[in-house]
């Protein structure tokens, strides 16, 4: 493991596995990374910070950041997530449907935005304020939709390009005390799109009377004959959450 002093010298960082808002805070506060690859990461929930979301103010005023590769499993960009960074271009995964306020506020070098979503998501007027909005690259056949959509239409140039389909997605099982997830059918950590990922979940009883709910990303799953199944069409985090029973009134 790196010491805190050594972390401050890292310029290019590639991460895999799971992370949550605490990890983003550590990078922002303790490191001076200029290139960050999060494509192998699955973002987990922590407190009010949701799973599969870039947290609010994740890299706010993190001026050293010039390049970021986002996980394809994210569905939300938190408010002020990249404000005042040094990004010159960014690719937004097709799964991102929700944008907070001021996501790219005052990113003065951000000249190229690539959105992989065929239908433009709603973005507030302040998302790109202070950025040049020079070039927007969108999937083939969707330029007219973006050109008609408020706050996307403000880009000076909107260009279409062919988006190649994904050939595989990652399935990550989140570790949890007292829980064991066992994949069936020989499923590995990387599977073809549309794969039916089947697994069982066992517990050691250490969570007492708490009720367990199993999720694939944000989708709640129900077991049939003790077997859970998730259809994989994005990078997917399998995780179990426990809810304590309500006290009797």
């Amino acid at each position: 493991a790196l010491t805190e002093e050594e972390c401050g010298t890292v310029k290019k960082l590639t991460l895999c596995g799971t992370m949550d808002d605490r990890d983003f805070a550590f990078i922002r506060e303790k490191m001076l990374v200029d290139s960050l690859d999060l494509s192998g990461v699955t973002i987990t929930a922590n407190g009010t910070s949701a799973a599969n979301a870039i947290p609010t103010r994740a890299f706010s005023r993190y001026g050293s950041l010039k390049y970021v590769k986002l996980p394809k499993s994210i569905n939300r960009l938190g408010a002020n997530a990249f404000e005042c960074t040094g990004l010159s271009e960014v690719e937004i995964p097709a799964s991102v449907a929700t944008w907070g306020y001021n996501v790219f506020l005052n990113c003065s070098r951000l000249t190229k935005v690539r959105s992989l979503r065929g239908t433009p998501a709603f973005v507030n007027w302040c998302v790109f304020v202070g950025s040049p909005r020079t070039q927007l690259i969108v999937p083939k056949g969707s330029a007219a939709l973006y050109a008609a959509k408020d706050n996307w239409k403000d880009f000076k140039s909107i260009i279409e390009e062919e988006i190649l389909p994904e050939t595989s997605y990652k399935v990550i099982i989140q570790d949890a005390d007292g829980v064991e997830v066992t994949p069936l059918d020989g499923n590995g950590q990387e599977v073809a799109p549309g794969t039916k990922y089947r697994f069982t979940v066992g517990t050691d009883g250490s969570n007492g009377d708490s009720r367990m709910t199993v999720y694939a990303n944000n989708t709640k799953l129900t077991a049939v004959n003790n077997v859970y199944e998730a259809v994989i069409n994005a990078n997917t985090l399998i995780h179990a959450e426990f809810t304590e029973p309500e006290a009797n009134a």
Side-chain angles (χ1 to χ4, degrees):
L2 297 177
T3 65
E4 189 170 310
E5 183 177 352
E6 288 170 332
C7 285
T9 67
V10 174
K11 298 300 181 185
K12 298 185 185 301
L13 182 63
T14 299
L15 297 175
C16 296
T18 61
M19 62 187 295
D20 61 32
D21 61 331
R22 295 167 294 185
D23 301 299
F24 285 92
F26 181 88
I27 295 171
R28 184 180 66 246
E29 295 168 6
K30 305 294 184 181
M31 306 182 76
L32 291 172
V33 172
D34 59 33
S35 176
L36 180 61
D37 186 346
L38 299 176
S39 60
V41 161
T42 299
I43 300 171
T44 59
N46 179 53
T48 59
S49 186
N52 299 307
I54 301 296
T56 297
R57 300 190 181 278
F59 297 106
S60 176
R61 302 186 179 276
Y62 194 61
S64 66
L65 187 64
K66 297 178 175 60
Y67 170 83
V68 66
K69 188 171 184 179
L70 298 172
K72 288 185 170 61
S73 57
I74 59 171
N75 52 40
R76 180 184 179 88
L77 298 175
N80 302 85
F82 295 99
E83 72 162 322
C84 297
T85 57
L87 293 173
S88 59
E89 61 180 278
V90 68
E91 181 176 285
I92 309 299
S95 53
V96 175
T98 305
W99 294 60
Y101 294 110
N102 305 321
V103 175
F104 294 107
L105 177 68
N106 291 331
C107 290
S108 60
R109 299 178 181 177
L110 184 60
T111 57
K112 183 187 295 185
V113 175
R114 177 178 279 104
S115 174
L116 302 186
R117 190 175 181 88
T119 302
F122 170 80
V123 298
N124 197 278
W125 66 272
C126 57
V127 164
F128 293 107
V129 165
S131 70
R133 286 178 272 198
T134 305
Q135 186 180 81
L136 175 63
I137 301 173
V138 299
K140 200 166 185 178
S142 61
L145 296 175
Y146 279 85
K149 188 75 170 179
D150 286 347
N151 306 314
W152 289 108
K153 65 184 180 183
D154 297 332
F155 279 82
K156 299 177 180 68
S157 171
I158 301 178
I159 300 171
E160 293 184 352
E161 71 174 16
E162 192 75 41
I163 305 298
L164 297 177
E166 296 291 341
T167 58
S168 66
Y169 292 110
K170 293 179 180 178
V171 178
I172 295 176
I173 297 170
Q174 182 175 339
D175 292 332
D177 291 340
V179 177
E180 182 177 3
V181 177
T182 303
L184 305 176
D185 308 321
N187 285 328
Q189 285 195 332
E190 196 154 330
V191 300
T195 295
K196 293 181 178 179
Y197 192 91
R198 300 168 67 246
F199 59 96
T200 59
V201 180
T203 64
D204 64 5
S206 59
N207 289 288
D209 295 331
S210 297
R211 183 179 63 187
M212 181 181 72
T213 306
V214 176
Y215 294 89
N217 289 338
N218 293 328
T219 301
K220 184 166 69 172
L221 303 179
T222 301
V224 177
N225 296 325
N226 297 317
V227 174
Y228 293 89
E229 181 179 285
V231 179
I232 308 302
N233 283 308
N235 289 339
T236 301
L237 175 70
I238 304 295
H239 57 110
E241 306 291 339
F242 288 88
T243 305
E244 293 184 5
E246 295 182 4
N248 293 329

